[in-house]
Amino acid sequence: MSQPETQAVKPSAWLRKTAGPGRRWTLLAIVAGLLLGLALVLQADRLAYVVSGLVEGRGGLADYSAEISLLVLAVCLRALFGFLREWAGVRASLSVRQALRQELLVKLDRLGPGFTHRRQSGELSTLLLEQVEALDGFIARYLPQMAQAVGLPLIILLFVLPQNWAVALIFILTAPLVPLFMALVGMKAADANRRNFQVLANLSSYLLDVIQGLPTLKLFQRSESEAATIARVSEEFRLKTMEVLRLAFLSSAVLEFFASVSIALTAVYLGFSFLGQLGFGAWEGDITLYQALFILLLAPEFYLPLRELGTQYHAKQEAVAASEKLMELLDEAEHQAESGSLAAPDAPINIRFEQVSLTYPGAEQAVLSGLDLSIEPGQPVAIAGPSGVGKSSLMNLLLGFYPLSQGRILINGQELVQLDRDSWLSRVAWVSQHTTLFSGTLRENLLLADPDADDVRLRRVCDAAHVTEFLDRLPQGLDTRVEEAGAGLSGGQIQRIALARALLKDAPVLLLDEPTANLDRESELLILQALEAFARDRTVLILSHRDATLLAAKHRFRLRHGRLEVLSGEAGGEL
C-alpha cells in the first residue's frame, strides 16, 4: 500500500483490513456464536415447555424425559459453541497480531538504522508490544460480536414474533438504545485511550533511558531525584489508566441500565396480561404460561449480545487509538538507500567517494558537501572531528543507511546503489561506538559474525582483541552468560568483544567508529597493534578523537563544515 493510500484510510477501515489474516477464524467465531443462539432458543423452548406442563398438571416429571434430554443437549451445545467461539476469536487475534508485527519489523528494516537511531527504543518497543497487543480485544471479541449483535437478536426475534407481536415490538423499539449510548460513551473512551498510550510510550522511553544510564546516575548521586521523577511519571500513567477504566465502567453501567429497563418493560407487560389488564399481543386468545416463560427466558438473551457489544466497543476504541501510531509508522517515508541486484565484489576492495553530499530529510543545511575520498586496501584512513560534524553520517552512507543527496560512492568502480545491500554488508565488519550485546552466552554473541567458527578461531580473535585478559576470569569462559546490553561488563570489555566479533567476520572492509573508546592507554596500544596487523590487506576507515588511534592510520583527515581537510605530520592539536 502506498503512502498516500494509507494516509487516506480511516483507523476503523485500516483495522478491518489488518484483520484479513484472521478472517477465516473470525468467520468460524461468528458461525459458532449464531449456532450458540439456536441452542439457546432450543433450551428456552424445552425448559418453558417442561415447567409449564408441570405447573399446569400435564403429567409428571417422568413424562418429560425426551424434553429433558433435549434440554441437556442444548446446554451441552451452548458450552461447546461458546468454547469454539472464544477459541476461534483467540486464533484470529493471534494470527493478525503475528502478521502485523512481522509487517512492522519489515517496515523498520526498510527504514533502516537511520530511522531507528532517531527514535527512542522504549517508544518503538511499546509500539511493537503494547499497541499491537491492544488490537487483541478488537479482533478476538469485537469483530465476531458485531455480527452476533445483529444475528442473535434477529434469531430470537424470529422465534418470539410468532408467540407475541407486542413483545417483538418492545424488542424492536428498545434495542437501538443500547448501541446508541454505547457509541456516545465510546467516543470519550477513544480520546482517553489515545492519551493513555502516549503517556505509556513516554514512560517506557524514560524508564529505558534511566536503566541504561543507572551507573552514571549513581556516580553523580542523582538516583534519588530520578526516583522522584519516575514516581511522578508513573502517577500520571496511573491517572490516565483510571480515566480509561472509569469510562469503561460507565459504559457498562449505562448499557446494563437500558437493558434492564427493557427486560423489566417486557415483564410488566406479561404480568398485566396475566392479570387481564392488557388484552393485546397474542395472535390467538390469551397469552399462555408456556409463551410467557419462553419469552421471559429469551428476553435477557435478546439484549445480551448488544450489551456485550457495548462492552467490547471499549476494546474497539482502544484499538482505534493504538492504530493511529501503527499507521503512522507504516506511513513513514523510507529514506534508506536503494538496494541494487549486483553482487558485491570480493577482496581487495577499493572505495571512492566522488562529490558526495548529504542533507537529511526535512533539514536545510547539508551535513556533507562535495566530499571526495579514496580508501584503498592496506591504506587505513582516519577521520577526526568534533561530535555532530558528520563523521557517523559518512559511515552510514557507506553502509547504505541513508541515500546520497548528490554524488556517488564507487566500490571497485561500481556504484554502491547498484549493489545488493545484503551482499555488500556481508563484505563489511563494523564496530560502532555503541556496541550491542544480546542476552546469551559470550560465545553466542561472537558467533553472530560467523556461526561456523570453531574454538580455535574464537580463541585467536579473543587473543587479538585482548578479550583473553578478562575471559579467563569469567566463571565459564566463552560460555559465560552475557546480560542484555552487556550488563555486568565494563565499557572497555564490551568494546573488546565488539572488536573480536569484527575480526571473526574476517571481512575485506573494516569500519571502526571510536574503536578504542572506553579503553585505557595500555589496552588501546595493544588493540591498535592488533588492528595494524589485521588491516594490512583490508580496506579500513576509522573515526576517532584519540591521537593514538589517528596515528595508526596512513591517511588522516579532519571533517569540518562538511568537507575533509588533510591532517599532516603528528595528529596532535585541535581535532
Side-chain angles (χ1 to χ4, degrees):
M1 182 180 291
S2 67
Q3 183 176 345
E5 290 175 337
T6 307
Q7 287 179 338
V9 175
K10 293 183 178 179
S12 297
W14 180 84
L15 283 170
R16 288 184 175 83
K17 180 179 177 60
T18 303
R23 187 171 289 115
R24 58 173 182 161
W25 296 111
T26 302
L27 182 61
L28 177 59
I30 292 171
V31 171
L34 296 178
L35 291 175
L36 186 150
L38 291 174
L40 173 66
V41 172
L42 174 62
Q43 175 187 322
D45 174 64
R46 293 299 85 192
L47 183 58
Y49 183 80
V50 171
V51 173
S52 62
L54 292 174
V55 170
E56 293 174 351
R58 297 195 307 270
L61 191 61
D63 299 323
Y64 294 95
S65 57
E67 284 74 13
I68 293 174
S69 298
L70 285 174
L71 179 61
V72 172
L73 175 63
V75 172
C76 293
L77 288 175
R78 283 189 65 186
L80 174 64
F81 292 135
F83 170 79
L84 183 60
R85 180 181 64 176
E86 293 297 322
W87 177 78
V90 170
R91 291 289 303 175
S93 173
L94 185 61
S95 59
V96 170
R97 285 180 288 136
Q98 284 179 337
L100 180 57
R101 283 197 175 101
Q102 182 65 32
E103 183 180 0
L104 291 169
L105 289 171
V106 169
K107 178 67 176 183
L108 287 173
D109 180 62
R110 293 201 306 266
L111 289 171
F115 170 80
T116 55
H117 285 171
R118 301 195 306 270
R119 301 289 289 267
Q120 292 180 309
S121 54
E123 180 184 358
L124 291 176
S125 298
T126 299
L127 194 68
L128 288 169
L129 298 175
E130 298 294 336
Q131 297 196 215
V132 172
E133 203 66 26
L135 272 58
D136 176 54
F138 175 81
I139 304 296
R141 294 177 291 277
Y142 179 78
L143 285 181
Q145 195 61 40
M146 279 184 63
Q148 292 163 24
V150 175
L152 289 180
L154 281 177
I155 290 174
I156 293 174
L157 197 61
L158 288 175
F159 284 94
V160 169
L161 184 59
Q163 304 295 334
N164 192 290
W165 62 264
V167 173
L169 185 61
I170 292 173
F171 286 173
I172 293 172
L173 293 177
T174 56
L177 293 176
V178 176
L180 173 63
F181 283 91
M182 169 190 74
L184 292 176
V185 177
M187 287 187 289
K188 297 290 291 182
D191 293 336
N193 274 295
R194 288 189 191 95
R195 293 191 293 270
N196 192 49
F197 277 125
Q198 186 57 54
V199 173
L200 177 59
N202 295 339
L203 177 60
S204 299
S205 302
Y206 184 74
L207 282 176
L208 187 59
D209 289 343
V210 169
I211 292 170
Q212 291 176 341
L214 196 57
T216 305
L217 293 173
K218 297 292 288 185
L219 182 63
F220 288 93
Q221 299 180 355
R222 300 292 299 171
S223 55
E224 291 186 3
S225 63
E226 287 302 317
T229 304
I230 291 174
R232 177 178 55 79
V233 177
S234 301
E235 177 66 12
E236 183 181 359
F237 177 61
R238 185 189 69 82
L239 292 175
K240 296 299 181 184
T241 303
M242 290 301 104
E243 181 183 357
V244 173
L245 292 176
R246 185 176 70 247
L247 288 170
F249 286 124
L250 175 62
S251 174
S252 299
V254 170
L255 300 181
E256 290 290 342
F257 172 76
F258 283 102
S260 299
V261 169
S262 302
I263 295 170
L265 185 60
T266 302
V268 168
Y269 162 77
L270 293 174
F272 276 97
S273 296
F274 276 115
L275 292 174
Q277 301 298 316
L278 297 176
F280 62 88
W283 294 99
E284 292 182 4
D286 296 329
I287 189 169
T288 65
L289 179 60
Y290 161 76
Q291 292 174 331
L293 288 173
F294 181 65
I295 291 171
L296 280 176
L297 288 171
L298 288 182
E301 304 298 338
F302 178 85
Y303 295 101
L304 181 61
L306 297 172
R307 286 157 49 200
E308 289 182 346
L309 180 64
T311 302
Q312 301 306 330
Y313 190 75
H314 173 74
K316 179 202 172 182
Q317 296 304 329
E318 183 181 16
V320 167
S323 68
E324 293 177 357
K325 287 290 185 181
L326 297 172
M327 292 172 65
E328 182 181 322
L329 177 59
L330 293 172
D331 286 340
E332 190 73 37
E334 298 173 13
H335 298 294
Q336 192 170 208
E338 295 181 2
S339 176
S341 57
L342 299 179
D346 295 324
I349 290 180
N350 178 277
I351 301 172
R352 181 166 182 79
F353 291 75
E354 293 185 351
Q355 290 297 302
V356 168
S357 297
L358 172 65
T359 303
Y360 288 125
E364 297 181 359
Q365 186 174 358
V367 180
L368 302 173
S369 178
L371 186 144
D372 290 303
L373 177 65
S374 180
I375 312 173
E376 299 179 359
Q379 302 286 318
V381 172
I383 298 177
S387 298
V389 78
K391 302 192 305 299
S392 295
S393 298
L394 177 66
M395 191 169 287
N396 286 330
L397 285 177
L398 190 53
L399 290 166
F401 295 163
Y402 293 118
L404 294 172
S405 302
Q406 196 174 3
R408 59 181 186 166
I409 299 176
L410 300 177
I411 309 297
N412 286 4
Q414 192 74 44
E415 288 197 43
L416 179 60
V417 294
Q418 296 178 344
L419 303 181
D420 177 73
R421 181 179 294 114
D422 291 339
S423 176
W424 166 240
L425 292 179
S426 70
R427 307 289 196 273
V428 177
W430 176 35
V431 177
S432 169
Q433 60 181 315
H434 304 295
T435 299
T436 298
L437 294 183
F438 300 95
S439 179
T441 65
L442 183 58
R443 182 191 303 274
E444 290 169 342
N445 273 273
L446 290 173
L447 289 177
L448 289 173
D450 185 0
D452 298 326
D454 56 21
D455 284 354
V456 175
R457 284 191 61 203
L458 287 175
R459 177 62 65 170
R460 187 183 302 130
V461 297
C462 286
D463 289 340
H466 298 277
V467 173
T468 312
E469 292 181 7
F470 64 88
L471 181 64
D472 295 334
R473 297 196 301 269
L474 297 177
Q476 293 178 296
L478 285 172
D479 295 312
T480 301
R481 286 199 62 82
V482 177
E483 298 301 326
E484 191 73 33
L489 297 175
S490 69
Q493 290 173 334
I494 293 174
Q495 198 71 2
R496 294 188 205 185
I497 293 171
L499 285 170
R501 191 160 59 187
L503 297 180
L504 183 64
K505 188 172 183 180
D506 197 22
V509 178
L510 182 61
L511 305 181
L512 304 170
D513 190 355
E514 299 289 354
T516 57
N518 305 311
L519 296 177
D520 56 56
R521 183 162 182 79
E522 182 181 354
S523 298
E524 179 184 27
L525 293 176
L526 293 172
I527 292 296
L528 291 175
Q529 290 173 7
L531 287 176
E532 183 179 2
F534 185 76
R536 284 173 186 163
D537 56 349
R538 288 173 172 79
T539 306
V540 181
L541 174 62
I542 304 171
L543 306 182
S544 181
H545 291 90
R546 303 179 71 158
D547 289 2
T549 306
L550 292 172
L551 288 171
K554 296 195 175 178
H555 303 285
R556 299 180 291 279
F557 300 89
R558 178 191 293 116
L559 185 60
R560 178 181 292 175
H561 306 305
R563 296 181 180 275
L564 291 176
E565 301 173 356
V566 177
L567 283 173
S568 58
E570 295 291 322
E574 180 188 357
L575 300 180

